[in-house]
Amino acid sequence: MELPPRVKVSEMSPGEAPPHGLAADQRNGCPWHDVQALLREVKLRPTRQRMALGWLLFAKGDRHLTAEMLYEEANRAKIPVSLATVYNTLHQFTDAGLLREVTVNGSKTYFDTNVSDHHHFFIESEHNLVDIPDADAIVGRLPQVPEGYEISRVDVVVRLRPKKR
Ligand SMILES: [Zn+2]
């Protein structure tokens, strides 16, 4: 994601102000107008909470976050938001195509800000999801799909662990 030009706080209208608690340098450097444009583009009303969470998600390049991780980041940034709201917002963003859901196992779902086709390494000991740069490297032969269906997406998660000595 290319960083947009800096937006001065003084140029913002009151409705666009970042949440309280964000450091001044964060406010100056954040692509606040971009998050708003992003939300408008997918027809989501840019509420304060969506704006704040969108800013956390999209202002730092490609990221893989669980709801809990984003909730903790929001807490650290003093954004008043509940875990339930974080969940709801992540699912709204996913439905709108802004995020991609990657389920690593039944209970662990990561939200990926990179919605392009790609696969992942999962480093089990660190609970860390990492992009695999070359998408072609993974899928050699796809199965025949039932009539009337097409493949919508192929998700590959390659699990890694440290080599045993
Ligand atoms: Zn990814």
Side-chain angles (χ1 to χ4, degrees), residues 52-118:
L53 294 175
W55 177 81
L56 286 178
L57 281 165
F58 301 117
K60 299 172 191 171
D62 285 343
R63 314 189 67 198
H64 306 92
L65 290 171
T66 64
E68 288 76 14
M69 286 158 78
L70 183 59
Y71 176 64
E72 268 178 36
E73 277 195 16
N75 273 344
R76 276 201 299 274
K78 305 265 196 299
I79 295 165
V81 72
S82 69
L83 183 57
T85 302
V86 171
Y87 268 109
N88 290 338
T89 306
L90 284 169
H91 285 291
Q92 287 162 357
F93 284 5
T94 303
D95 290 342
L98 296 178
L99 295 172
R100 189 181 134 180
E101 224 175 317
V102 183
T103 304
V104 171
N105 58 40
S107 61
K108 211 154 192 92
T109 297
Y110 286 80
F111 294 86
D112 194 342
T113 59
N114 177 1
V115 292
S116 70
D117 260 341
H118 66 284

Side-chain angles (χ1 to χ4, degrees), residues 8-162:
K8 285 202 193 104
V9 174
S10 58
E11 288 169 3
M12 293 175 171
S13 67
E16 297 171 330
H20 294 292
L22 296 178
D25 58 304
Q26 286 178 308
R27 273 200 294 257
N28 286 331
C30 87
W32 201 250
H33 287 154
D34 278 20
V35 174
Q36 194 174 46
L38 206 65
L39 293 177
R40 290 237 159 96
E41 216 169 274
V42 297
K43 311 261 185 295
L44 283 176
R45 203 159 57 86
T47 61
R48 275 185 98 71
Q49 285 177 328
R50 283 186 188 142
M51 288 289 290
L53 294 175
W55 177 81
L56 286 178
L57 281 165
F58 301 117
K60 299 172 191 171
D62 285 343
R63 314 189 67 198
H64 306 92
L65 290 171
T66 64
E68 288 76 14
M69 286 158 78
L70 183 59
Y71 176 64
E72 268 178 36
E73 277 195 16
N75 273 344
R76 276 201 299 274
K78 305 265 196 299
I79 295 165
V81 72
S82 69
L83 183 57
T85 302
V86 171
Y87 268 109
N88 290 338
T89 306
L90 284 169
H91 285 291
Q92 287 162 357
F93 284 5
T94 303
D95 290 342
L98 296 178
L99 295 172
R100 189 181 134 180
E101 224 175 317
V102 183
T103 304
V104 171
N105 58 40
S107 61
K108 211 154 192 92
T109 297
Y110 286 80
F111 294 86
D112 194 342
T113 59
N114 177 1
V115 292
S116 70
D117 260 341
H118 66 284
H119 302 297
H120 294 98
F121 286 126
F122 183 64
I123 304 167
E124 292 177 322
S125 53
E126 300 167 16
H127 296 280
N128 194 9
L129 197 67
V130 185
D131 284 349
I132 296 176
D134 184 3
D136 299 334
I138 307 300
V139 183
R141 199 174 67 89
L142 289 168
Q144 196 82 36
V145 295
E147 218 181 292
Y149 292 92
E150 60 182 5
I151 292 171
S152 89
R153 198 173 76 199
V154 178
D155 283 329
V156 176
V157 176
V158 180
R159 290 153 193 274
L160 303 179
R161 64 180 174 214

